[in-house]
Amino acid sequence: MRLLHTSDWHLGKKLENQTRIEEQKEFISQLSKIIDEKNIDIVIIAGDIYDTYNPSAEAEKLFFDSLKTLSKDGKVGIIIIAGNHDNPKRLDAISELAKDYGVIICTSAFQELNTGKYGSMNIYKSNKGGFFVEKSNKKIYFYCLPYPSEQTLNENLDEISFRSRIKEILKEGVERNDEEIPTIVISHLYVAGSMGEGDSSLELGGTRAISLSELPNADYIALGHVHRPIEFKDKNAYYSGSPLEYRVTENRFDKKVFIVEFKDKMKTVESIYLKNNKPIKEYFFDSINEALKANEKLMRIDEWIYLNIKLDKPLRNSELKELKANKNILEIIPKIITENSDTVISDESETSLTELFIKFYKEDTGGLEPTSEILSLFSELLEEENNETN
């Protein structure tokens, strides 16, 4: 049995109001070729199909086309769980239609799927949250926990009880495998330390953190939510990450999918790197002349660009117009240097940074407002950064 693990497609997501649909189409095409070349049996999509609860018609069309393309008209199985950006009701609405193409969609915790044929897959037994799949005379057990929150779990939980409850849910789900076949867990959650900040009460995209030790013992745990690929090999847990760079900070790591193969009780995990057709780059220049000269070359490169320019006076309209002739420039960030010091002045005051953080948080959580605790933590981090700079 060969499985392909991907997640966090965020179909319809824009970058500074620039559409990414064509890049996302290229990713689907690339993924389709990988499925053919690697003889994939089942594709796992670990949440965040869409970028918003109410995706555009263009994003929805791409999703529907993708299911048909990747499933090879039902020959390849696809298992999808809902992430925090997805609207479970919207995904539920297409589940019966998608079934004909071999697509299984899990939108809520403890969901018990109907047995029967899903394209070339056969669910021959199911329980609350789990199901047993037979495909090409091979069997495998899946346990799915879509994006868990107090609302989706329908439980009132503080930080500590949340972690304990998630641990309990996953452990019980894994233990429901009463056959000697591989167990695959699929979930959209945040493991503390995934971004390097350690175990804290910080929420990422509205999701509370659980510790690595709270993950169950399974043959493979397919995770979504974090955008960079991560391998927790001791726990057989993997984040595939997003297929595209969605923020400038994501240009620090390669994008990939994982292929998991079970053969004669042996398991192998292979990384398949994705082609980055249009990376996000950030450039820093010490003068406007340097920036204008470099921009002549940058116009011939297919990149999304952020320009940081040190200035001793504001940009002239002619200079701004010349820079903006490069349609790939997302933002021009001027850094004004005062005459008698090396102090750099920009438009990023603490107030504006907080506003930007609130905007980012709402976009990342489908419109949720950050809590007072999160805003307080952000202010503390901002203050620490200012103290270190000074």
Side-chain angles (χ1 to χ4, degrees), residues 301-369:
I301 303 173
D302 201 14
E303 297 175 338
W304 293 116
I305 298 169
Y306 288 90
L307 283 187
N308 293 267
I309 310 171
K310 285 185 179 180
L311 301 168
D312 55 8
K313 58 183 177 181
L315 281 171
R316 294 198 298 266
N317 286 337
S318 59
E319 294 167 336
L320 192 60
K321 185 177 179 180
E322 189 172 344
L323 289 173
K324 286 189 172 181
N326 185 349
K327 300 303 181 183
N328 290 326
I329 292 179
L330 296 167
E331 188 175 358
I332 300 168
I333 307 165
K335 307 287 184 179
I336 307 296
I337 304 172
T338 59
E339 292 182 3
N340 300 320
S341 73
D342 293 330
T343 303
V344 175
I345 302 173
S346 73
D347 293 331
E348 298 174 342
S349 65
E350 183 170 338
T351 301
S352 62
L353 282 176
T354 301
E355 290 171 352
L356 286 171
F357 172 74
I358 293 171
K359 179 183 176 183
F360 157 76
Y361 188 93
K362 290 174 70 175
E363 288 177 352
D364 199 49
T365 59
L368 294 177
E369 291 279 355

Side-chain angles (χ1 to χ4, degrees), residues 105-124:
I105 301 177
C106 299
T107 59
S108 60
F110 319 121
Q111 183 177 350
E112 190 163 354
L113 297 175
N114 294 327
T115 57
K117 284 283 188 179
Y118 290 73
S120 61
M121 293 188 294
N122 178 43
I123 295 183
Y124 62 92

Side-chain angles (χ1 to χ4, degrees), residues 273-296:
Y273 290 91
L274 300 171
K275 183 181 178 183
N276 189 354
N277 292 303
K278 192 165 184 175
I280 303 174
K281 294 291 183 71
E282 190 169 20
Y283 293 94
F284 297 84
F285 299 105
D286 291 328
S287 70
I288 181 60
N289 289 335
E290 184 182 339
L292 290 171
K293 185 176 180 181
N295 193 44
E296 294 176 8

Side-chain angles (χ1 to χ4, degrees), residues 2-20:
R2 282 191 168 192
L3 313 175
L4 185 149
H5 169 203
T6 178
S7 72
D8 294 270
W9 290 4
H10 289 275
L11 299 181
K13 187 174 182 65
K14 294 184 177 182
L15 185 62
E16 309 294 351
N17 289 321
Q18 296 292 326
T19 181
R20 311 294 297 282

